[in-house]
Amino acid sequence: MRYLRVKKQQSFHVTRVFLVAFFALSVLLLLFFVFHLFRVKSLEDRIANLEKHQAALEMEISAVTGVQRTMSINLYYYNELLDRLMNDEVICDTGAVIPVQRTIPYSQSPINDALRLLLRGELTKAEEDLGFKTEFPGRELQFLGARLENGVLFLKFSDPAGFTSGGSCRVNLLKAQIEKTALQFDSVSSVEFEPIDLFQP
């Protein structure tokens, strides 16, 4: 009996040591994870600050030298000729919403700039001759801004006159122009509209 009791006590002691060690290891791993997360966040903040500082310096240099830094973006518009070529008739195929290129001044908010330029609907005569068309600018439609959360781009609009409502053919093309223009940016994985009743057939 004494031997069995000693053995049980030893087994309990080993189990307790194992649990304490497991708990200590878990705490260490958690601390390591938190520390690593903090370092990553700190690094991201430093990179963002450096980018802002670089942009500010470039603007100062541009002001002094008169040479402005530019960047290329795509604006996606509907091409009716391509729609007809793909489908033998016009069916409002969103696959016919394709890019035209624009060069704009270098910006720290290229998504906002691209969308505002898209909504102005300023196609060139040559682009219109190639079949591009758009209903933008919309009647009283206002782009109020964007916010990016974990890859989801939330776009807020004001549409008191109901420009974004109507038949599915028209509405899908309007929506596709905005979505494709936004999705060209690597940081954007999906697009959500605010209010949610925008672009409803």
Side-chain angles (χ1 to χ4, degrees):
M1 290 294 292
R2 180 179 298 175
Y3 173 74
L4 289 175
R5 190 178 297 118
V6 170
K7 193 168 185 179
K8 285 182 179 179
Q9 289 176 349
Q10 289 177 343
S11 176
F12 176 75
H13 179 70
V14 170
T15 302
R16 187 169 61 180
V17 169
F18 174 77
L19 289 174
V20 170
F22 178 76
F23 177 75
L25 182 61
S26 299
V27 171
L28 286 173
L29 287 173
L30 180 62
L31 290 173
F32 175 77
F33 175 75
V34 170
F35 176 71
H36 181 67
L37 197 63
F38 176 77
R39 286 189 63 189
V40 170
K41 176 63 177 172
S42 177
L43 184 59
E44 289 176 348
D45 290 342
R46 288 173 63 189
I47 291 173
N49 288 333
L50 285 172
E51 289 176 345
K52 288 180 181 178
H53 184 62
Q54 180 182 357
L57 285 175
E58 288 173 348
M59 290 178 67
E60 289 180 11
I61 292 172
S62 297
V64 172
T65 63
V67 178
Q68 189 174 44
R69 184 181 174 188
T70 60
M71 59 189 296
S72 294
I73 58 169
N74 290 322
L75 306 180
Y76 283 78
Y77 289 113
Y78 170 62
N79 190 295
E80 187 177 272
L81 291 181
L82 179 59
D83 191 358
R84 194 181 299 277
L85 284 172
M86 292 192 302
N87 303 290
D88 295 326
E89 59 179 330
V90 174
I91 64 169
C92 299
D93 190 338
T94 57
V97 175
I98 57 175
V100 297
Q101 194 173 75
R102 295 287 186 270
T103 300
I104 63 172
Y106 181 80
S107 170
Q108 294 185 54
S109 55
I111 297 175
N112 283 347
D113 292 343
L115 290 173
R116 287 196 168 92
L117 191 56
L118 172 81
L119 296 175
R120 282 160 56 180
E122 296 175 350
L123 290 167
T124 66
K125 178 65 167 59
E127 289 163 348
E128 290 175 346
D129 291 342
L130 289 172
F132 286 98
K133 55 172 39 180
T134 183
E135 291 189 40
F136 297 127
R139 185 178 64 256
E140 296 185 37
L141 178 69
Q142 291 185 344
F143 173 50
L144 302 180
R147 74 179 193 278
L148 187 63
E149 297 179 3
N150 299 319
V152 181
L153 183 67
F154 294 89
L155 301 177
K156 189 171 184 178
F157 290 86
S158 173
D159 184 23
F163 173 78
T164 61
S165 62
S168 60
C169 173
R170 171 181 173 276
V171 168
N172 287 338
L173 290 179
L174 291 174
K175 184 178 180 181
Q177 291 175 69
I178 295 173
E179 287 181 331
K180 289 189 176 186
T181 298
L183 288 169
Q184 73 181 289
F185 298 98
D186 293 338
S187 57
V188 180
S189 59
S190 63
V191 176
E192 297 287 341
F193 294 95
E194 296 177 341
I196 59 174
D197 59 353
L198 293 172
F199 299 103
Q200 298 298 319

